[in-house]
Structures are given as structure tokens and as C-alpha cells.
Amino acid sequence: MGPITFAAVVESAVLGVALAMDAMAVTLSNSLCEPDMPLSKKLGMPVAFALFQAGMPVLGYLGGTLIADVIDRYAGVVSFCILAVVGGKMVVEALRELREPESCPATRLTWAMIGMEAVATAIDAFVVGVSFAAEGKNVVLSCGMIGLTTLACCLLVLVLGRKLGEHFGPRAEIAGGAVLILIGVKALLGM
């Protein structure tokens, strides 16, 4: 395990921000779609994303290269399927609400959806963990920084998402669903 240096901390924080981008986009999407989300879910969502972003590299580190090729080969497909289903559902429900505002309540984010999104946005972090093993990185420092960075970024996005959601209503839900689908397409194409 590598030493804890200032450069290692900075590198881990930058990696954390890079890995947190998908989680941040999903957090924004969710907060746009449900501006009156209960506080438990508002806080639970960033915590779930942070835990998975920190945990998946640990699994990759422990698993080494034994299953990295399989995960790497199918990560895009798995992420795309999960995000396309969740995002598509959001778009359909928002369109229904725009046509018949009284008949369709706003989409409510469930804990199961948060779990699926957390897994989908953290799959790439598994492969990063495999690279930690190959490079002899300090996995505790790296994974801790990835988790903390993801948590901080998602909490920041929650504040922004709430303000935007108040202004855009169901149209924000359509945009949020589209963002989830685009993140899934990005994962599918390996971008």
C-alpha cells in the first residue's frame, strides 16, 4: 500500500470528482424531478452514492484482475439498462403529468431506485479499484477520498437542483429522465 502524501491526497480527490460526475448528474436529475423530496431521501441519496463510489473500488482492489474483464465488458450495458429504465419511466410520467396535471402525481423516488442508481453510477469505480491493486495505491486513502468527494459534490448539487426544480416543474422531470438516459448511453458507448 502506497504512502499518504499531499500528492496522493490531491490525486485521490481529483479521481473522486471524476468518478462523482455521474452521481452528481443523477442527484441533479432526481432533485429536479422531486423538489419536495423528504429530507431522509435528500440525505440518503448522496450517502448511498458515496458509499457505492467508495465501496466499488475496494471490491475491485480485492477482486484484482480475476473478474475485471467481465465487469469491464458488461459495465456499460448494465449501467445503460438500469438508467434507461429509470430515466424512461421519469419521462413517461412527466409527459403524462403535462397532459393531465391532476391525474398523475409527481414521480416519487424510491429507495430501490436510489440503490439501482448508486450501483449504476459506481460500476466504473470497480475497474478503478483493480488499477489500485496493480499500481500499489493506498486503497484506504483513495477510496475514502472518492467517497468523501462524491458525498460533497452530490450535497452541493442537491442545493442547486432544488432551486431549479421550483422553476421548471414537470419539464424538469423530462430533462432529468433524459439526463439519466444519456448517462446510460454514455456508459453503453464506453465514453
Side-chain angles (χ1 to χ4, degrees):
M1 207 179 303
I4 297 177
T5 63
F6 179 74
V9 170
V10 170
E11 181 182 337
S12 296
V14 170
L15 179 60
V17 171
L19 287 173
M21 288 296 148
D22 286 351
M24 290 169 61
V26 172
T27 299
L28 177 60
S29 231
N30 289 342
S31 63
L32 287 173
C33 295
E34 190 176 337
D36 61 339
M37 183 185 304
L39 184 60
S40 62
K41 286 184 184 164
K42 281 182 188 176
L43 297 177
M45 185 173 38
V47 168
F49 291 153
L51 289 174
F52 274 89
Q53 288 289 359
M56 289 298 262
V58 171
L59 293 177
Y61 182 84
L62 296 174
T65 56
L66 295 177
I67 59 171
D69 290 339
V70 174
I71 293 292
D72 192 33
R73 194 172 317 139
Y74 297 109
V77 174
V78 171
S79 293
F80 171 73
C81 290
I82 291 170
L83 293 173
V85 167
V86 172
K89 180 179 181 285
M90 288 168 55
V91 169
V92 167
E93 288 181 7
L95 289 172
R96 192 175 303 139
E97 185 176 346
L98 282 172
R99 281 193 308 263
E100 303 169 26
E102 298 302 318
S103 69
C104 180
T107 300
R108 297 292 176 217
L109 188 65
T110 66
W111 288 107
M113 289 170 68
I114 291 171
M116 288 190 309
E117 290 171 346
V119 170
T121 59
I123 289 175
D124 290 346
F126 177 87
V127 178
V128 169
V130 173
S131 74
F132 290 166
E135 297 171 18
K137 297 251 185 205
N138 185 320
V139 71
V140 174
L141 168 69
S142 297
C143 294
M145 287 300 294
I146 289 168
L148 288 173
T149 305
T150 300
L151 180 65
C153 290
C154 290
L155 287 171
L156 181 65
V157 165
L158 268 179
V159 173
L160 175 65
R162 183 171 156 230
K163 293 182 186 313
L164 291 174
E166 291 170 359
H167 295 294
F168 298 109
R171 286 174 182 79
E173 188 171 355
I174 293 170
V179 167
L180 290 181
I181 293 168
L182 289 173
I183 292 170
V185 169
K186 179 186 132 228
L188 182 65
L189 297 175
M191 300 167 80

